[in-house]
Amino acid sequence: IARAVPAVAINLQVMLPTKDKAPAGLPNLPFNLNRAWFSLIMLGAKKNIPMLIDKAKAAVGIDFSDTLTMQYFNLFFYDIPALPAPSFNGISTAVIPAHPEWPESNFHLCGFFVVDKD
């Protein structure tokens, strides 16, 4: 996906589809079906994309309607190596071991972030 505005994903936690772990505090599903949660999450995201585009345009004056698409958002969950920018995740493998289903490229575990109030 070609992008004119560069972006970097900086995540404070990893929320990726894996068979054995449910996302965002949701309950684990039996039979390694936890990836199904992401289908439901993405349905909710799809209906909110127009509002997100409007807020981004109001905040920074850029029309992201060709950029903020479901195809693009799906990359953040299902194909991080294909993202046009690096993905950094503020977790430490000393605290949370890397999951074997997490991507091995374009996905960087870089320790915890501290965010100032300023």
Side-chain angles (χ1 to χ4, degrees):
I1 297 174
R3 299 284 173 244
V5 178
V8 175
I10 301 175
N11 307 304
L12 297 178
Q13 66 182 4
V14 177
M15 192 171 92
L16 293 174
T18 60
K19 294 180 210 169
D20 62 337
K21 295 187 187 297
L26 293 168
N28 278 321
L29 296 174
F31 312 113
N32 288 326
L33 291 172
N34 286 304
R35 288 176 170 249
W37 283 122
F38 282 86
S39 298
L40 296 173
I41 291 169
M42 296 310 281
L43 284 173
K46 184 176 182 177
K47 73 177 186 176
N48 288 304
I49 286 178
M51 179 183 62
L52 179 61
I53 291 169
D54 290 343
K55 287 185 177 192
K57 188 169 186 175
V60 295
I62 299 172
D63 182 5
F64 287 101
S65 57
D66 291 337
T67 305
L68 298 178
T69 63
M70 280 308 295
Q71 179 186 10
Y72 184 57
F73 283 119
N74 278 322
L75 292 178
F76 285 93
F77 294 113
Y78 298 107
D79 196 5
I80 289 174
L83 281 171
S87 175
F88 297 98
N89 295 272
I91 66 164
S92 170
T93 55
V95 178
I96 301 170
H99 194 282
E101 292 182 67
W102 290 353
E104 293 183 11
S105 64
N106 204 27
F107 182 78
H108 309 280
L109 302 176
C110 52
F112 289 97
F113 296 124
V114 177
V115 180
D116 267 345
K117 290 182 180 179
D118 297 334

